[in-house]
């Protein structure tokens, strides 16, 4: 029991951090992190949906027919997102205003569907909830850190409190769109630099094991697999041996 | 107030570019921008689906959800409508235009999870757009996505020849390029409509 908790939390926060390692859920990560408070709020909202949807999906995993599982997951996730949306609207209206359209967009956050498919559909209820908590905390931490950096450089405050002297003008580009991309680039680059040998910088991509050049189905053969435009055909071709 | 449709296109495609200032559709923007050709195919598919889905979701919202006071269900209904729509478009193209279907390949089903599609549908409701305005906003947004992803792909094709610092290889340099593109697009918001 304790082992599962520890292992799942470590996995979600560090080993497979959804934002910094898996590069999932980029939209909210970049869009709402204009301040640490917004980042934290978005993280908590996503974590709530993640935990409950993981719980329900793993509880129902034996009853959901395999070929309609994705639509079923989407409906489950969308229901909880609507719930979270109504709750934030009722109790934390400022946050609801600040996050705006990105709350309903939690539905299409790849992290949630990804965990449902990769973990909750194969594991027990307890482990799935723990996975949701771990991933949720990892997501929240990443968003809060990025929000913190952007807010500090952009307006010179931390969680809405001014920490720099009044005369600091704020580099407003960091709370605008380009700042999001730039801070994300720097954060990932720092992580890459820390463990350059483990090749952490590979994108979330699946190659076809170098079989591209010899693949008969691929129209546009590419030198390296990652850039092959016919990856999907290629995989089919390998399986079907055409 | 009547907003001119041309202004909506300019506003959605350039001033509020969906990727570079709204941060929607980042996953595919980063994932499928390695080659100009594939990114152009994806962009076209997205253009097609977003324009269609903004029309359908608008009809569903005004004719079904609003009269029944079920507007709080819009997230669930929209995502189902979009998923169904993508499925239908795929089947239709497979039968009627196999050439186009083949060139779009796996990107078509993946569009369901592109948050730009759902984002446009929800935004049209927020802005209280009429039918023509919704479709135009959808088209403009998707046009913005197409422009952004093709530009990024064109930049990324040149990375092979350039000397990127070790730590910045892979994702970070793509983010840096996107940041520079976003700065350029901020210039458009100087043009106020």
């Amino acid at each position: 029991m304790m082992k599962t908790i520890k292992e799942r939390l470590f996995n979600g926060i560090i080993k497979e951090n959804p934002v910094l390692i898996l590069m999932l859920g980029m939209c909210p990560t970049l869009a709402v992190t204009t301040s640490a408070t917004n980042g934290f709020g978005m993280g908590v909202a996503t974590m709530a949906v993640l935990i409950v949807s993981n719980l329900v999906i793993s509880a129902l995993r034996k009853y959901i027919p395999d070929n309609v599982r994705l639509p079923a997951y989407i409906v489950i996730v969308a229901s909880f997102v609507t719930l979270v949306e109504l709750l934030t609207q009722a109790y934390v209206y400022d946050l609801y205003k600040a996050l705006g359209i990105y709350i309903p967009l939690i539905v299409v956050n790849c992290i949630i569907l990804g965990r449902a498919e990769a973990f909750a559909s194969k594991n027990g209820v307890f482990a799935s909830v723990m996975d949701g908590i771990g991933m949720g905390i990892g997501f929240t931490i990443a968003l809060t850190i990025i929000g913190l950096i952007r807010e500090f450089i952009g307006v010179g405050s931390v969680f809405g409190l001014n920490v720099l002297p009044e005369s600091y003008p704020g580099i407003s580009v960091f709370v605008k769109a380009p700042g999001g991309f730039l801070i994300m680039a720097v954060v990932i680059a720092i992580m890459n630099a820390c463990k350059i040998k483990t090749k952490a910088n590979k994108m979330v991509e699946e190659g076809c094991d170098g079989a591209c050049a010899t693949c008969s189905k691929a129209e546009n053969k590419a030198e390296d697999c990652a850039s092959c435009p016919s990856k999907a055909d290629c995989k089919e071709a390998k399986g079907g041996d055409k | 107030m009547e907003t001119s449709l041309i202004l909506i296109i300019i506003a959605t495609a350039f001033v509020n570019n969906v990727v570079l200032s709204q941060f929607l559709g980042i996953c595919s923007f980063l994932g499928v921008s390695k080659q100009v050709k594939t990114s152009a195919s994806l962009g076209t598919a997205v253009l097609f689906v977003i324009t269609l889905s903004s029309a359908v979701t608008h009809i569903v919202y005004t004719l079904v959800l609003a009269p029944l006071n079920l507007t709080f269900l819009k997230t669930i209904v929209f995502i189902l409508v979009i998923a169904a729509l993508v499925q239908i478009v795929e089947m239709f193209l497979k039968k009627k235009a196999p050439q186009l279907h083949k060139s779009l390949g796996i990107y078509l089903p993946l569009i369901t999870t592109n948050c730009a599609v759902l984002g446009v549908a929800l935004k049209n409701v927020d802005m209280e757009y009429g039918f023509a305005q919704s479709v135009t906003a959808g088209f403009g947004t998707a046009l913005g996505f197409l422009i952004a992803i093709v530009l990024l792909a064109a930049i990324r094709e040149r990375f092979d020849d350039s000397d990127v610092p070790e730590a910045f290889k892979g994702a970070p340099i793509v983010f840096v390029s996107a940041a520079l593109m976003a700065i350029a697009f901020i210039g458009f918001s100087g043009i106020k409509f």
Side-chain angles (χ1 to χ4, degrees), chain B residues 53-181:
Chain B
S53 75
S54 44
V56 175
T57 49
H58 180 262
I59 295 171
V60 169
Y61 187 78
T62 42
L63 295 188
V64 183
L65 294 181
L68 294 174
N69 271 331
L70 290 175
T71 50
F72 64 91
L73 283 178
K74 62 178 190 287
T75 314
I76 304 179
V77 174
F78 282 4
I79 189 80
L80 288 177
V81 166
I82 290 166
L85 202 67
V86 170
Q87 202 76 45
I88 293 169
V89 167
E90 198 189 358
M91 288 190 308
F92 180 81
L93 284 183
K94 203 170 186 177
K95 191 130 174 105
K96 298 285 176 194
Q99 206 57 48
L100 184 63
H101 179 257
K102 209 176 165 207
S103 70
L104 296 181
I106 49 160
Y107 304 128
L108 215 43
L110 282 181
I111 292 173
T112 313
T113 50
N114 187 330
C115 42
V117 186
L118 186 61
V120 172
L122 292 170
K123 214 160 192 158
N124 285 343
V125 171
D126 272 359
M127 305 283 278
E128 295 176 350
Y129 278 155
F131 182 75
Q133 289 168 320
S134 296
V135 177
T136 315
F139 180 78
T141 307
L143 193 67
F145 181 80
L146 177 66
I147 294 170
I149 198 169
V150 170
L151 285 178
L152 182 68
I155 297 174
R156 282 182 79 173
E157 281 190 349
R158 281 154 207 261
F159 285 165
D160 296 340
D161 309 328
S162 39
D163 187 18
V164 180
E166 195 62 40
F168 273 89
K169 275 193 179 139
I173 190 71
V174 181
F175 278 112
V176 172
S177 319
L180 294 176
M181 285 169 68

Side-chain angles (χ1 to χ4, degrees), chain A residues 17-27 29-30 142-143 145-146 149 179-204, chain B residues 26 30 156 164-178:
Chain A
N17 186 297
V19 177
L20 302 172
I21 309 284
L22 298 182
M23 307 261 298
L24 291 175
M26 280 294 118
C27 306
T29 308
L30 295 170
L143 254 64
I145 290 175
I146 296 169
I149 301 173
F181 286 116
L182 213 54
I183 296 294
M184 195 67 202
V186 173
V187 169
I188 298 176
I190 291 172
M191 291 191 54
N192 281 356
C194 290
K195 45 178 179 177
I196 205 117
K197 277 179 189 151
T198 53
K199 290 212 166 189
N201 56 347
K202 72 169 181 228
M203 297 277 289
V204 188
Chain B
I26 298 278
L30 298 175
R156 282 182 79 173
V164 180
E166 195 62 40
F168 273 89
K169 275 193 179 139
I173 190 71
V174 181
F175 278 112
V176 172
S177 319

Side-chain angles (χ1 to χ4, degrees), chain A residues 24-123:
Chain A
L24 291 175
M26 280 294 118
C27 306
T29 308
L30 295 170
V32 301
T33 51
T34 49
S35 74
T37 319
N38 286 355
F40 183 74
M42 186 68 197
V44 172
T46 310
M47 176 155 72
V49 176
L50 192 56
I51 294 170
V52 193
S53 66
N54 259 6
L55 173 93
V56 172
I57 288 168
S58 77
L60 294 176
R61 68 187 189 281
K62 295 203 174 78
Y63 304 101
I64 298 175
D66 206 37
N67 42 6
V68 292
R69 65 182 194 286
L70 287 180
Y73 296 165
I74 290 182
V75 173
I76 292 172
V77 175
S79 315
F80 289 120
V81 169
T82 309
L83 217 64
V84 166
E85 190 185 355
L86 293 175
L87 285 174
T88 45
Q89 193 175 2
Y91 294 106
V92 268
Y93 191 67
D94 286 342
L95 188 69
Y96 174 79
K97 274 295 209 201
L99 298 183
I101 194 175
Y102 296 98
I103 297 180
L105 283 179
I106 296 176
V107 180
V108 280
N109 189 326
C110 349
I111 297 171
I112 295 178
L113 216 54
R115 291 326 286 175
E117 173 74 5
F119 197 86
S121 63
K122 299 187 185 80
N123 290 278

Side-chain angles (χ1 to χ4, degrees), chain B residues 5 13 31-33 39 41 93 100 106 126 183:
Chain B
L5 297 182
V32 203
S33 56
S39 61
S41 309
L93 284 183
L100 184 63
I106 49 160
D126 272 359
I183 290 176

